[in-house]
Amino acid sequence: MTTNTTEIPDATIHELQIRYNVSEDNFTVQLWNGSSWNNRTILNDTILSYRNITLLPEELIPYGTLAGNAGIINNSYTIVRYMDLNASTVQQGNLYLDYQRIYNN
């Protein structure tokens, strides 16, 4: 599963927060850095849990947004991928992703 989070304002530190639980298998969270996927953490909690991941500068992909008379406002987006660590045709893991959000500290 691949997701996209847009309209991230410029700031020094950003956190990706995930609320999730898994069953059957573990999942890895990967972030796109513009040329490859970075493995960032393993999701392995079987009860509904939170996970925070500090985003690296190269994982925030910049773009400009035209804001009327204000001109161009610099925003970014990030691409997040969730991968089953045991990709098998006989056993399928389940990831329940309650939400993901990006916030800045």
Side-chain angles (χ1 to χ4, degrees):
M1 174 174 67
T2 303
T3 62
N4 183 340
T5 303
T6 61
E7 303 299 323
I8 303 169
D10 287 343
T12 54
I13 299 173
H14 289 88
E15 296 282 333
L16 169 66
Q17 184 177 69
I18 302 164
R19 187 171 184 226
Y20 78 98
N21 69 298
V22 299
S23 64
E24 303 298 325
D25 288 334
N26 296 330
F27 287 74
T28 185
V29 177
Q30 301 176 336
L31 285 116
W32 182 251
N33 70 9
S35 61
S36 64
W37 292 100
N38 290 335
N39 289 327
R40 295 306 305 280
T41 192
I42 302 294
L43 302 180
N44 55 7
D45 292 317
T46 57
I47 59 171
L48 201 54
S49 302
Y50 290 95
R51 185 71 54 97
N52 289 344
I53 303 164
T54 301
L55 297 176
L56 302 174
E58 62 269 17
E59 293 168 340
L60 293 171
I61 303 166
Y63 70 93
T65 301
L66 186 60
N69 294 334
I72 299 293
I73 296 175
N74 291 323
N75 283 319
S76 300
Y77 68 96
T78 189
I79 304 172
V80 183
R81 183 165 75 175
Y82 300 89
M83 299 285 293
D84 189 337
L85 286 177
N86 183 22
S88 168
T89 57
V90 295
Q91 177 183 347
Q92 184 175 5
N94 295 301
L95 168 65
Y96 171 72
L97 186 61
D98 188 41
Y99 74 84
Q100 72 172 16
R101 72 177 181 133
I102 304 256
Y103 65 95
N104 47 340
N105 291 339

